[in-house]
């Protein structure tokens, strides 16, 4: 986990490997604009990376949030394929982590407690009786230091979480590097170090609607996951500890499947489950492919992480007004959160998430966008 190779993508047969973002010929651009002030008076900014194809990715130093990803459809029409808000206030309000960097620990920790090196640590219980996505003021609510890397068409964001913050041990230094590649990929590189043993599980919580909002639900999005197993959960969405086969269940997405086919058979009204990615070669492997027939857009997700959380926006209830006045209703978008497994600090059989002093946490994810003509 903490020494993951960041070699080129090793995808399914026939898939194109991720190219070097510094390759010659990439027409790169980095723009910067004010984004207002946080409730405590800190300045927020927006940074936009663009490539020669007109694709752009916008990131804020508030929450290391991906606020926008603009890509073409099969007719060349540009559209924003992630949910977002028109102003900073949309992100600082109570909202479900739209576009945000998640840490120290993505997903849930049962009872807001874990034991490490003979000591029990107590965390915020901000999801019923459980801890979710780093607590009351996780990484999604912090101002990050930004280093602009225009030659790489990248941004390097850094945040130092002090010992005891949100109940976690150790001073943890985290960097997240966002790179827009020439072939329309958003590569996210995570790195962290600590001076005391601590659980670490980082992800991005972007919500994707590949129709760019033209279709108000993701039932027609065709999803394929490279995962033969998943981690079943109890009624509080805490893993039972089992690694169950998806075969013969509504969780089987090993073949391209429209989300609407089984979504109403999933307890809780939709997918909100961690999938155990099939093992492969060193480096990033293809974890997920999503195709939206109307637009022709394709999203491929590559990662070094062992799991991916498929979440279908089950808790979006129309109370949030997003970009351009859009009401975000149930199943409006889906998340593909690459991660270690939920509640790993309390599940000895799961891959460890404990980072030790002297180790370096390294994980990478690539969200790659392309188009497919309807006759392909």
């Amino acid at each position: 986990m903490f020494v993951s190779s960041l070699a080129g993508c090793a995808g399914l047969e026939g898939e194109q490997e991720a190219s070097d973002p510094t390759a010659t010929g990439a027409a790169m651009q980095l723009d910067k604009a004010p984004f207002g002030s946080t409730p405590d008076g800190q300045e927020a900014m927006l940074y936009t990376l663009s490539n020669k194809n007109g694709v752009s990715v916008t990131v804020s130093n508030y929450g290391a949030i991906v606020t926008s990803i603009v890509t073409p459809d099969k007719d060349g029409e540009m559209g924003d394929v992630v949910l977002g808000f028109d102003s900073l206030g949309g992100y600082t309000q109570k909202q479900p982590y739209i576009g945000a960097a998640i840490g120290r620990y993505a997903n849930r920790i049962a009872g807001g407690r874990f034991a490490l090196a003979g000591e029990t640590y107590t965390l915020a219980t901000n999801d019923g009786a459980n801890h979710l996505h780093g607590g009351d003021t996780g990484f999604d609510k912090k101002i990050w230091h930004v280093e602009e890397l225009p030659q790489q068409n990248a941004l390097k964001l850094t945040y130092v979480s002090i010992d005891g913050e949100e109940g976690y041990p150790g001073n943890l230094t985290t960097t997240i590097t966002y790179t827009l590649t020439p072939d329309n990929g958003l590569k996210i590189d995570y790195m962290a170090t600590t001076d005391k043993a601590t659980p670490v599980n980082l992800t991005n919580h972007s919500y994707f609607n590949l129709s760019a909002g033209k279709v108000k639900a993701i039932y027609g999005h065709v999803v394929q996951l490279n995962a033969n197993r998943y981690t079943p959960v109890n009624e509080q969405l805490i893993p039972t500890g089992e690694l169950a086969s998806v075969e013969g269940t509504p969780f089987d997405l090993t073949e391209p499947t429209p989300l609407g086919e089984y979504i109403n058979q999933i307890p809780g009204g939709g997918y909100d489950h961690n999938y155990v990615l099939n093992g492969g070669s060193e480096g990033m492997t293809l974890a997920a492919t999503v195709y939206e027939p109307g637009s022709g857009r394709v999203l491929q997700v590559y990662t070094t992480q062992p799991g991916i959380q498929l979440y279908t926006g089950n808790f979006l209830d129309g109370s949030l007004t997003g970009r351009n006045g859009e009401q975000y209703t149930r199943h409006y978008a889906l998340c593909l959160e690459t991660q270690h497994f939920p509640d790993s600090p309390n599940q000895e059989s799961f891959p460890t998430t404990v980072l030790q002093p002297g180790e370096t946490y390294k994980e990478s994810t690539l969200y790659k966008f392309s188009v497919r003509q309807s006759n392909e």
Side-chain angles (χ1 to χ4, degrees):
M1 169 188 176
F2 302 117
V3 290
S4 297
S5 169
L6 304 186
C9 301
L12 299 182
E13 184 176 357
E15 299 293 352
Q16 183 179 357
E17 292 193 347
S19 63
D20 180 357
T22 63
T24 302
M28 303 177 293
Q29 184 174 340
L30 196 165
D31 296 312
K32 179 178 177 180
F35 197 40
S37 298
T38 65
D40 62 357
Q42 297 185 82
E43 183 180 20
M45 302 295 296
L46 288 177
Y47 301 81
T48 300
L49 303 168
S50 305
N51 70 11
K52 63 182 178 181
N53 305 316
V55 171
S56 65
V57 174
T58 302
V59 176
S60 178
N61 62 331
Y62 177 75
I65 291 171
V66 176
T67 64
S68 172
I69 302 177
V70 175
T71 72
D73 67 8
K74 62 186 178 184
D75 299 316
E77 181 179 345
M78 307 303 288
D80 203 326
V81 297
V82 294
L83 304 195
F85 299 100
D86 290 322
S87 66
L88 179 63
Y91 295 99
T92 58
Q93 69 177 319
K94 183 175 176 57
Q95 52 90 10
Y97 307 96
I98 289 177
I102 303 298
R104 291 188 189 189
Y105 199 93
N107 219 303
R108 293 169 175 85
I109 296 178
R113 296 166 67 87
F114 65 90
L116 182 59
E119 187 171 347
T120 297
Y121 294 90
T122 301
L123 312 173
T125 50
N126 59 323
D127 183 55
N130 304 306
H131 179 80
L132 176 66
H133 290 334
D136 292 330
T137 53
F139 288 5
D140 59 296
K141 299 177 180 67
K142 306 297 184 180
I143 291 288
W144 293 62
H145 171 76
V146 178
E147 180 182 355
E148 300 175 27
L149 304 172
Q151 295 304 311
Q152 289 78 44
N153 209 19
L155 298 166
K156 182 179 179 181
L157 289 82
T158 302
Y159 175 70
V160 179
S161 175
I162 63 171
D163 186 18
E165 184 174 285
E166 289 296 321
Y168 289 95
N171 295 294
L172 183 78
T173 300
T174 300
T175 63
I176 301 177
T177 301
Y178 294 101
T179 303
L180 177 59
T181 69
D183 57 353
N184 303 342
L186 171 59
K187 188 165 184 281
I188 307 177
D189 294 310
Y190 303 94
M191 184 177 295
T193 58
T194 184
D195 60 4
K196 188 176 181 180
T198 188
V200 181
N201 187 23
L202 305 176
T203 195
N204 177 267
H205 208 293
S206 289
Y207 287 70
F208 296 96
N209 181 317
L210 296 185
S211 79
K214 291 185 177 180
V215 177
K216 308 304 181 185
I218 39 77
Y219 304 130
H221 282 56
V222 179
V223 175
Q224 183 176 14
L225 300 181
N226 184 22
N228 296 330
R229 297 177 296 168
Y230 76 109
T231 53
V233 294
N234 64 20
E235 65 280 356
Q236 296 181 6
L237 299 176
I238 298 296
T240 63
E242 180 185 6
L243 303 184
S245 172
V246 301
E247 186 176 3
T249 76
F251 296 98
D252 190 347
L253 300 172
T254 54
E255 297 295 330
T257 305
L259 282 174
E261 185 166 335
Y262 297 123
I263 196 168
N264 291 324
Q265 299 179 36
I266 305 297
Y271 296 92
D272 193 3
H273 295 78
N274 172 69
Y275 281 79
V276 180
L277 295 174
N278 296 334
S281 60
E282 289 291 324
M284 290 197 289
T285 56
L286 182 62
T289 301
V290 184
Y291 170 56
E292 201 285 305
S295 66
R297 289 188 179 92
V298 177
L299 168 60
Q300 294 169 299
V301 184
Y302 298 84
T303 191
T304 59
Q305 302 252 39
I308 189 167
Q309 184 90 1
L310 172 62
Y311 171 55
T312 49
N314 313 326
F315 300 115
L316 297 175
D317 60 6
S319 62
L320 290 175
T321 300
R323 189 180 295 113
N324 300 320
E326 284 291 322
Q327 299 298 120
Y328 292 151
T329 53
R330 194 181 208 194
H331 301 156
Y332 192 104
L334 63 98
C335 300
L336 293 162
E337 305 157 59
T338 60
Q339 61 180 10
H340 272 59
F341 304 164
D343 197 35
S344 289
N346 296 312
Q347 304 273 357
E348 291 185 1
S349 63
F350 287 178
T352 184
T353 55
V354 176
L355 178 65
Q356 299 285 350
E359 295 180 333
T360 299
Y361 172 103
K362 288 184 180 180
E363 301 288 357
S364 292
T365 294
L366 175 69
Y367 295 98
K368 186 176 178 184
F369 300 91
S370 59
V371 294
R372 181 188 304 169
Q373 299 300 323
S374 58
N375 60 350
E376 291 185 5

